Amino acid sequence: MNIKTVKNDPKNIKADILVIGGFSNLPNFGAEATGIDKLFGGMLMLEAESANFIGGAGEFISVGTVGKIPAKRVILLGLGDFKALSTEVLRRAFGSVFKNLKGKKFSTLAISSHGISKNISSYECVKAIAEGTALASYDFNKYKKEKEGRKKEKTENFKEIFLIAKDALTSKQIKKGITEAEISCAATFYARDLVNEPASICVPVHLVAHAREIAKASKGKIKVKIFNREECKKRGMDAFLAVAAGAGEEPYFIHLSYKPKAISSKLKKIALVGKGITFDSGGLQTKPGESMATMKLDMAGAAAVLGVFSKIVEISPRAEVHGIIAATENMPGSHAYKPGDIVRASNGKTIEIGHTDAEGRVTLADSLSYATKLKPDVIIDLATLTGACMVALGEEVTGLMSNNKKLAEKIKESAESSGEKLWELPLINEYRHLIKGTHADVRNSGASRYGGAITAGLFLEEFVGKVPWAHLDIAGPAWAERETISYVPLGGTGYGVRLLIDFLKKI
Ligand code: BES
Ligand code: ZN
Ligand code: ZN
């Protein structure tokens, strides 16, 4: 999506559609709407009244301008209470407009940011508008028949989007907002595409191909190491290989690394670890059909890491960043790992298999052990780890667990600025006995079905040593089963990409 900033008066701009914001608690929805209404001879307010438009966040009306201004239509977009305006309100409001315009034939659109940026900076304002606009326009349509008159690759209905801002031409902040939105949206689309790809295509070697492509495109700025089964065996990654044992597809361990020219941040080395189960059938303790239906999503953590790496040169963090993925299917083949098996992870700890469907943490045991050996300042893992986390926090909120308060606070800040919601769960020692093994050091399924997100987090903690670490259980937000957030279409959401980018930019 190509968004340009322009300096113009909204009432003079030529476009198929002009979007202006309106606030529920300002007279006539605020100065902007009032100005346009004057040119309309009061028609805009009459329309608003007859449509019961009250300016609530995300509510909008579309009105033909019948030649009163150069724009052909005006969309009056509700932004809610002026005092409650936030970047997430903007993302969702603009998302709701774009979700609605998807597939419709318009060619130019102008968005006025006049009068919006009162209590948030113009940089934040423009970035949020551009993000809401672009993220809502995403479509995974490569498997759909071409529709008449439109090529399937090109579903963008707007050739040009103009963002009108008073200081568009002079403000570096505005340009920065647009550029950052373009980067974060492209990286999010990268992750969404990978998650939406069917699991029979998106097998472990497919993730390897993506990692290699990312490294190749970076012209030496990103390095990639790939370990096959034999190499993993040599490195003692028996936990990861146990999960892979039942799969027809070959497993691969992926390690991407990015080194900036100069490291100038306090955090010098960061490891991002993604759960990379390309399909989770549950293994021998196979999932019931309904729960298995969406299990191509189980590599969403890996997709987020790859999404970030696809744009890491542009993000240009001031630290070394490592991306780590143990990629395999979890399948019930004749060599599949079995309940009661005992496997040793590469940090030496033994794991008793209580349940073959708790496979993510078994693969992560080796990914986190590997990450720890790199001696990073922090490790952040993203994993579609437990149904229990969804029971606790619902479909839109990630469970954050961490052994380090400072790191957890930084992640919460990035969640707040990106709008990617999370809530911290306590990694309390009182529950540690629930993951004790009978004949091994730890057990991969908790002795109680209660507190399943926390016991999974405690299990992971066994593999990070003393390294500051944060675990994001993204089982809910990684996949949109129903329409909830306006700028998140059904399917893979790309959750985590924007949060991680924000984190990397702020270190
Ligand atoms: N991949 C699933 C978790 C999941 C469930 C992600 C629903 C997204 C949506 C994970 O591997 C799993 O199956 N976990 C089990 C663990 C249990 C057997 C201890 C679960 O949550 O039921
Ligand atoms: Zn599972
Ligand atoms: Zn899983």
Side-chain angles (χ1 to χ4, degrees):
M1 179 162 291
N2 184 14
I3 303 179
K4 285 182 196 144
T5 47
V6 290
K7 184 184 170 178
N8 204 331
D9 196 318
K11 62 178 189 287
N12 296 330
I13 194 131
K14 244 185 159 175
D16 289 339
I17 301 176
L18 166 67
V19 186
I20 56 168
F23 294 94
S24 56
N25 58 335
L26 297 186
N28 284 346
F29 311 113
E32 175 99 274
T34 311
I36 300 280
D37 187 51
K38 273 202 188 110
L39 299 171
F40 273 37
M43 198 180 83
L44 189 59
M45 291 308 136
L46 281 176
E47 281 280 346
E49 203 182 317
S50 69
N52 282 317
F53 175 86
I54 56 161
E59 192 191 348
F60 64 89
I61 51 166
S62 171
V63 184
T65 60
V66 290
K68 305 264 190 216
I69 55 172
K72 291 185 192 145
R73 298 194 75 76
V74 165
I75 287 181
L76 175 58
L77 173 61
L79 298 174
D81 186 329
F82 186 64
K83 290 186 290 296
L85 187 66
S86 67
T87 52
E88 185 59 4
V89 166
L90 286 173
R91 261 184 230 110
R92 291 190 185 213
F94 280 87
S96 73
V97 171
F98 274 79
K99 184 173 131 185
N100 226 272
L101 293 176
K102 204 158 45 192
K104 295 200 175 137
K105 277 191 188 165
F106 295 105
S107 109
T108 50
L109 177 111
I111 298 168
S112 172
S113 70
H114 287 205
I116 293 179
S117 54
K118 287 259 164 64
N119 55 355
I120 48 178
S121 72
S122 48
Y123 152 73
E124 286 178 310
C125 171
V126 161
K127 186 174 173 188
I129 292 176
E131 280 183 344
T133 302
L135 292 171
S137 314
Y138 172 85
D139 198 5
F140 185 73
N141 59 3
K142 66 190 265 203
Y143 292 108
K144 284 188 182 158
K145 214 170 117 201
E146 274 186 25
K147 278 195 189 149
E148 240 178 280
R150 113 170 131 82
K151 282 233 183 264
K152 61 178 175 178
E153 292 298 336
K154 279 222 154 207
T155 51
E156 283 180 10
N157 40 348
F158 295 104
K159 280 200 203 88
E160 275 175 317
I161 297 180
F162 304 110
L163 223 155
I164 313 167
K166 279 185 189 122
D167 45 358
L169 303 179
T170 49
S171 169
K172 277 197 183 142
Q173 292 300 310
I174 287 189
K175 286 196 190 98
K176 188 175 144 204
I178 297 274
T179 311
E180 286 189 9
E182 275 166 359
I183 292 169
S184 70
C185 293
T188 302
F189 292 173
Y190 194 101
R192 285 181 181 177
D193 280 350
L194 273 175
V195 175
N196 287 330
E197 195 66 57
S200 296
I201 306 279
C202 185
V203 291
V205 73
H206 184 82
L207 296 183
V208 169
H210 273 265
R212 285 200 198 282
E213 189 51 44
I214 286 171
K216 198 173 155 203
S218 79
K219 299 199 174 80
K221 292 190 180 106
I222 300 171
K223 304 245 181 316
V224 64
K225 282 188 200 163
I226 308 290
F227 306 147
N228 62 12
R229 195 192 294 266
E230 209 180 315
E231 182 65 33
C232 292
K233 180 89 204 138
K234 272 191 210 152
R235 290 171 178 268
M237 298 179 173
D238 287 353
F240 168 43
L241 293 181
V243 174
E249 291 291 332
E250 279 300 304
Y252 289 98
F253 191 91
I254 302 168
H255 176 188
L256 286 158
S257 54
Y258 166 84
K259 271 190 195 155
K261 279 202 193 100
I263 295 173
S264 53
S265 65
K266 272 194 220 135
L267 302 178
K268 295 187 172 26
K269 200 190 277 188
I270 295 167
L272 305 176
V273 176
K275 172 175 171 181
I277 300 294
T278 60
F279 189 73
D280 183 9
S281 71
L284 287 176
Q285 283 160 299
T286 315
K287 287 180 184 292
E290 231 171 79
S291 322
M292 207 193 292
T294 55
M295 279 303 133
K296 67 174 181 183
L297 67 75
D298 218 16
M299 37 59 74
V305 172
L306 288 169
V308 170
F309 266 86
S310 74
K311 286 284 165 194
I312 203 153
V313 177
E314 287 92 331
I315 297 163
S316 142
R318 299 178 303 152
E320 195 176 305
V321 186
H322 294 265
I324 293 153
I325 297 161
T328 181
E329 299 179 316
N330 181 26
M331 298 292 275
S334 58
H335 290 104
Y337 78 144
K338 306 166 188 76
D341 277 358
I342 295 176
V343 295
R344 191 182 296 276
S346 45
N347 74 340
K349 286 196 182 171
T350 54
I351 304 167
E352 198 166 288
I353 304 304
H355 205 298
T356 62
D357 198 10
E359 82 300 334
R361 65 197 79 178
V362 182
T363 62
L364 286 164
D366 276 330
S367 306
L368 293 170
S369 301
Y370 181 88
T372 305
K373 283 180 195 149
L374 299 172
K375 298 201 170 22
D377 295 304
V378 298
I379 300 176
I380 302 173
D381 81 70
L382 294 96
T384 46
L385 206 61
T386 66
C389 197
M390 297 172 73
V391 173
L393 299 175
E395 289 170 295
E396 289 180 55
V397 181
T398 283
L400 162 69
M401 285 150 263
S402 179
N403 63 0
N404 186 286
K405 275 211 170 87
K406 250 186 169 174
L407 175 61
E409 283 314 311
K410 281 199 178 126
I411 290 180
K412 284 179 202 168
E413 276 169 32
S414 291
E416 185 63 36
S417 12
S418 63
E420 298 199 307
K421 308 226 169 316
L422 52 74
W423 194 255
E424 189 168 5
L425 301 175
L427 280 180
I428 50 167
N429 265 324
E430 284 81 348
Y431 289 174
R432 205 172 292 276
H433 69 94
L434 295 169
I435 56 153
K436 267 225 155 83
T438 313
H439 298 125
D441 299 329
V442 280
R443 200 180 126 99
N444 80 327
S445 63
S448 157
R449 67 190 181 90
Y450 299 118
I454 295 175
T455 48
L458 286 168
F459 178 96
L460 298 182
E461 197 182 6
E462 299 284 330
F463 300 91
V464 295
K466 296 245 174 310
V467 180
W469 150 84
H471 158 55
L472 300 175
D473 190 333
I474 59 171
W479 183 264
E481 187 71 40
R482 61 198 103 249
E483 288 184 7
T484 46
I485 303 167
S486 63
Y487 61 80
V488 180
L490 298 186
T493 61
Y495 180 97
V497 171
R498 288 183 305 107
L499 186 153
L500 287 177
I501 293 178
D502 188 86
F503 178 87
L504 290 176
K505 279 198 137 336
K506 283 180 182 158
I507 52 166

